[in-house]
Amino acid sequence: MRPIRITSQETILDSFATMSARIIEHGVPREIMIGYRGGSETVTVYWNKEHNFWSRLESDSEKFPDTIFCTCGQGEPLDGKEHPITMEINIHKNGESWLLGGIFVRDSNSNKPVLAHTGKISGNRSINRDSFLDSIPAHLRPTIKNTQREVIIIGDIESPEFIQQLGEFVNRVAEFKKDKAVAAK
C-alpha cells in the first residue's frame, strides 16, 4: 500500500462521519471525566467491551475549530470517574498539518479512506514518535506518497474489521507506554 494523504475538508469530514458511525454502532455511550494536560472535562465516550477501548468523538469545537477530536483510552470507562487518555487520533480538518496524531489517507490500490496515525504520542522522555514508530512492524508503516513521512495504518474505516483494528492500535499504544514507563524506572 502506498497511501495518499487526503486534504479535502469535505472528504475528511465525510470520512470522520463514517468512522464515528462505526464507533458509535459498536460502542456503549458512557459519561466520564477525562484528564489531560491543563485540566479535565466530562465527555461522552463509546465503550467497546470486546476490544477493550473507548473513544471520544468531536467534530465541532469552539475552542479549536480546525480540529476533529478522537481520543481513545484502554479499559472500561466507569461513569463519573476520571480516566486518562491513552492516545489521540485528532485530525486537522484541512488535512495539511502534521502536528496532530491522526490523518486520513486513501489506499492507492482500493482508493478507500483509511485512518492512519502520524506516530505522535506523548509521555515520558522515552515515549516519542521515533521510539513508537520503531515498535510498529514495517508493513504497517508505509511512506505517504510524495513525502518521506511514515505513518501507521490503523484501518480501512469501511471494513468490517475496522473496530478490531482500532482497538488493537489503542491497546498497542497502551502496552508501549506501559513498557516504556517500566523501563524508565
Side-chain angles (χ1 to χ4, degrees):
M1 173 185 188
R2 186 70 190 248
I4 302 163
R5 189 166 189 177
I6 296 173
T7 57
S8 157
Q9 184 170 0
E10 181 180 354
T11 304
I12 290 168
L13 291 172
D14 287 347
S15 297
F16 182 72
T18 299
M19 180 183 89
S20 296
R22 302 291 309 287
I23 290 170
I24 291 167
E25 173 188 353
H26 293 276
V28 176
R30 299 265 177 98
E31 294 292 319
I32 66 167
M33 184 176 291
I34 56 173
Y36 47 85
R37 211 178 281 170
S40 63
E41 64 182 303
T42 300
V43 298
T44 299
V45 300
Y46 296 90
W47 158 238
N48 184 287
K49 181 178 181 178
E50 181 180 1
H51 301 294
N52 193 38
F53 77 101
W54 53 263
S55 301
R56 170 195 179 212
L57 307 162
E58 182 182 350
S59 61
D60 293 314
S61 167
E62 287 182 24
K63 193 172 183 180
F64 301 100
D66 294 331
T67 302
I68 297 169
F69 290 96
C70 179
T71 51
C72 300
Q74 183 187 47
E76 182 175 3
L78 302 174
D79 292 339
K81 286 191 120 183
E82 185 171 326
H83 297 275
I85 295 169
T86 300
M87 58 167 296
E88 298 177 356
I89 316 174
N90 300 337
I91 301 162
H92 199 274
K93 287 182 181 177
N94 72 13
E96 295 175 5
S97 174
W98 287 102
L99 297 176
L100 302 175
I103 64 171
F104 286 110
V105 297
R106 286 210 179 281
D107 180 330
S108 56
N109 298 325
S110 70
N111 207 32
K112 291 185 174 190
V114 173
L115 180 63
H117 197 273
T118 64
K120 180 183 186 301
I121 61 173
S122 60
N124 68 33
R125 288 182 195 186
S126 63
I127 298 175
N128 58 51
R129 182 178 190 275
D130 290 336
S131 65
F132 183 54
L133 284 174
D134 288 346
S135 76
I136 304 293
H139 73 277
L140 294 176
R141 296 181 290 138
T143 302
I144 296 287
K145 191 173 182 178
N146 299 326
T147 75
Q148 296 301 310
R149 187 88 180 196
E150 279 184 307
V151 294
I152 302 161
I153 298 301
I154 297 173
D156 172 349
I157 61 173
E158 297 172 357
S159 166
E161 290 84 30
F162 175 71
I163 298 300
Q164 176 184 341
Q165 293 165 334
L166 179 58
E168 287 171 356
F169 187 70
V170 172
N171 288 298
R172 180 185 298 246
V173 172
E175 288 302 310
F176 171 79
K177 286 183 167 186
K178 184 176 98 180
D179 291 348
K180 289 293 184 179
V182 167
K185 289 184 180 181

